[in-house]
């Protein structure tokens, strides 16, 4: 449309011509572009927007297929209950916060460390690189099975190992004690999550020109100085993006905790997402679960926007 | 001498620790899968099965239903 107006601007401005132009300038509807993007829009609406809208809709309902008599619109009652009487919500939010922070920080730390090891040149580097990435290919359920076997009270390897080393003097149920269950699932998730950071950091390290390090060495910079002044600035954007992604994923992580502890014992491992799963999927309390989902969605939205803003993603310096 | 010592601490030892942490659970899953039913729970724990057996794989495939699960995982039809 704008091209039309610039075109007419250049035409002679006598009255007859203007009338002619006026007739020609009838607004035209271009339907072709809409037709072309229609499949994508429909797909997004169907697969993304509809389920999300559904969750928002059910968050204002009392919806439990097991008790159909009480189903119906209840306004903000779900939210009121969550914020006033629900003690588990506050504790699960705190556990979620601990879970995400510890996981992301340690995964980034160890992932970066292993990536720095694997970027050096040595024999059979390709083999070591593929081994380092292997846990990423293992599903959450299998990871939790493997580690449950290791943490097992009666036949677990960790008990036998720790007894030999003298740390403990009798078998200990790692996954049944409130004090040890959280560190246990943290280690399990670290095992699976570190490779993600190893891959992304390894990829980002390849983009750093090697002559920068050479000139830094010539100028007398040591290993630590080169790391701070060359490696970290080059990795900055990758670090921000991967930690953001990972934080969202860890916040939403449910497969590992669900299969390993189910949120117990005594809700010591009930993260917010785990709480949603227990409410909606296990207890069939879909209305309440939807309200919790809406809250966790808003938390993630605010977090992601704030994180990108504060970290100045994509900006120099 | 100094260079090889440096390489030991900056590359070889951390890499060994990382590889051990990564591989050990996988190794343990494989070893346990090769043990006989009774040996899995027997103490003291052995790091290599006394009698290597593939029986667990046959049981998983035929009796537990892994033949069906694998088909489900590869297609939309069970």
């Amino acid at each position: 449309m704008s091209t039309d107006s610039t075109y007419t601007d250049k035409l002679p401005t006598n009255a007859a011509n203007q009338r002619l132009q006026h007739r020609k300038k009838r607004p035209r509807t271009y339907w072709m572009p809409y037709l072309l993007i229609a499949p994508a829009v429909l797909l997004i609406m169907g697969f993304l927007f509809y389920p999300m809208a559904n969750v928002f809709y059910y968050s204002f309902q009392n919806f439990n297929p097991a008790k159909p008599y009480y189903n119906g619109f209840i306004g903000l009652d779900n939210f009121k209950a969550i914020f006033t009487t629900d003690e588990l919500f506050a504790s699960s939010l705190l556990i979620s916060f601990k879970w995400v922070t510890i996981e992301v920080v340690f995964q980034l730390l160890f992932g970066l460390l292993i990536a720095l090891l694997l970027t050096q040149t040595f024999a059979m580097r390709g083999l070591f690189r593929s081994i380092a990435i292997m846990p990423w290919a293992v599903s959450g359920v299998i990871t939790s099975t493997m580690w449950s076997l290791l943490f097992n009270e009666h036949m677990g390897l960790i008990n036998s190992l720790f007894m030999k080393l003298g740390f403990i003097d009798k078998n200990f149920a790692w996954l049944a004690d409130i004090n040890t269950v959280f560190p246990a699932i943290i280690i399990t998730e670290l095992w699976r999550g570190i490779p993600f950071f190893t891959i992304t950091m390894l990829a980002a390290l390849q983009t750093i020109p090697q002559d920068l390090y050479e000139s830094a060495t010539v100028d007398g910079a040591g290993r630590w100085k080169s790391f701070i002044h060359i490696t970290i600035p080059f990795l900055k954007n990758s670090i921000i993006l991967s930690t953001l992604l990972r934080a969202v994923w860890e916040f939403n992580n449910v497969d590992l905790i669900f299969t390993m502890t189910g949120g117990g014992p005594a809700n010591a491992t009930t993260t917010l997402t785990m709480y949603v799963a227990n409410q909606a999927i296990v207890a069939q309390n879909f209305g309440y679960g939807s309200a919790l989902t809406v809250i966790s969605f808003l938390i993630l939205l605010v977090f992601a926007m704030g994180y990108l803003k504060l970290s100045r993603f994509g900006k120099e310096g | 001498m100094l260079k090889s010592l440096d390489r030991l601490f900056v590359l070889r030892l951390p890499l060994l620790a990382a590889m051990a942490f990564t591989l050990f659970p996988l190794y343990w899953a494989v070893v346990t899968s090769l043990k006989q039913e009774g040996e899995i729970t027997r103490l003291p724990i052995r790091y290599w099965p006394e009698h290597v057996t593939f029986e667990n794989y046959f049981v998983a495939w035929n009796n537990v239903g892994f033949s069906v699960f694998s088909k489900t995982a590869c297609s939309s039809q069970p």
Side-chain angles (χ1 to χ4, degrees), chain A residues 221-288:
Chain A
R223 199 174 271 150
W224 180 247
K225 273 223 163 112
S226 321
F227 177 73
I228 292 291
H229 294 293
I230 301 171
T231 312
I232 290 291
F234 263 96
L235 293 184
K236 194 191 134 211
N237 275 345
S238 309
I239 289 176
I240 293 167
L241 194 63
S242 55
T243 45
L244 174 68
L245 278 176
R246 200 70 193 134
V248 173
W249 291 343
E250 288 299 354
F251 188 88
N252 289 332
N253 182 320
V254 78
D255 53 355
L256 191 129
I257 305 175
F258 196 93
T259 45
M260 210 156 166
T261 66
N267 295 315
T269 55
T270 301
T271 59
L272 186 55
T273 313
M274 193 59 227
Y275 186 36
V276 172
N278 275 337
Q279 277 289 343
I281 313 296
V282 179
Q284 297 276 299
N285 213 342
F286 283 103
Y288 201 75

Side-chain angles (χ1 to χ4, degrees), chain A residues 117 121 135 147 156-157 191 223, chain B residues 6-7 10 21-22 24-25 45:
Chain A
L117 292 175
T121 36
W147 281 89
L157 189 79
W191 183 81
R223 199 174 271 150
Chain B
D6 179 80
R7 206 148 161 83
V10 178
F21 179 65
T22 306
F24 201 81
I45 284 171

Side-chain angles (χ1 to χ4, degrees), chain A residues 18-59:
Chain A
Q18 248 177 8
R19 224 174 301 132
L20 195 76
Q21 283 303 315
H22 194 73
R23 206 181 301 153
K24 265 189 174 175
K25 251 173 67 178
R26 199 182 295 145
R28 285 175 60 189
T29 330
Y30 294 97
W31 49 269
M32 200 58 186
Y34 295 103
L35 192 75
L36 290 176
I37 63 163
V41 170
L42 283 176
L43 212 68
I44 291 169
M45 290 293 247
F47 280 107
L48 204 78
F49 188 73
Y50 174 71
M52 266 169 64
N54 219 5
V55 165
F56 275 82
Y57 170 74
Y58 278 118
S59 69

